[in-house]
Amino acid sequence: MKNNVHDILIEPVLAEKADIVREHGVYVFKVAIYANKPEVKKAVEKVFKVKVEKVNILVVKGKTKKANFRYEVKRPDYKKAYVKLAAGNSIELFEGI
């Protein structure tokens, strides 16, 4: 891995779609733009001490918004990872939500 595991995992995604897939053992994280699947897998396994079965990554393109009725501002792109855990594993961070 290029960097520390805490540099790869930025934050968990707490959206309605993330709640729906969490019922199937899939957790969603916002990750660093340079991270790849093996790095995300190692980071989740090390930080949360669980067994990861599969990782899917997608790049979310930043939206263009109008600011002050004249200027267009582009929000930055970011990368999202869907992490499927092995059967019997769960992350306690999400259990109280």
Side-chain angles (χ1 to χ4, degrees):
M1 282 192 283
K2 298 174 187 166
N3 291 324
N4 189 1
V5 293
H6 297 289
D7 293 336
I8 292 174
L9 297 176
I10 297 174
E11 63 185 10
V13 176
L14 303 174
E16 189 172 349
K17 184 178 178 184
D19 291 339
I20 293 169
V21 296
R22 193 176 312 129
E23 296 172 359
H24 303 289
V26 178
Y27 295 87
V28 185
F29 295 96
K30 189 175 184 180
V31 296
I33 198 75
Y34 58 82
N36 56 23
K37 289 182 181 184
E39 289 176 343
V40 172
K41 181 178 179 178
K42 288 178 187 176
V44 171
E45 287 179 343
K46 188 170 182 182
V47 170
F48 297 108
K49 296 173 181 55
V50 293
K51 180 70 176 148
V52 174
E53 186 177 308
K54 185 177 178 182
V55 177
N56 289 330
I57 292 181
L58 59 99
V59 176
V60 179
K61 302 292 183 185
K63 294 181 179 179
T64 302
K65 295 287 187 173
K66 291 243 183 193
N68 295 338
F69 301 106
R70 273 186 214 150
Y71 308 108
E72 288 188 355
V73 179
K74 184 182 178 295
R75 293 183 179 173
D77 300 342
Y78 63 95
K79 199 176 262 192
K80 200 161 52 166
Y82 287 82
V83 179
K84 181 172 176 61
L85 301 182
N89 289 317
S90 67
I91 297 176
E92 289 78 23
L93 174 71
F94 293 98
E95 297 305 319
I97 298 173

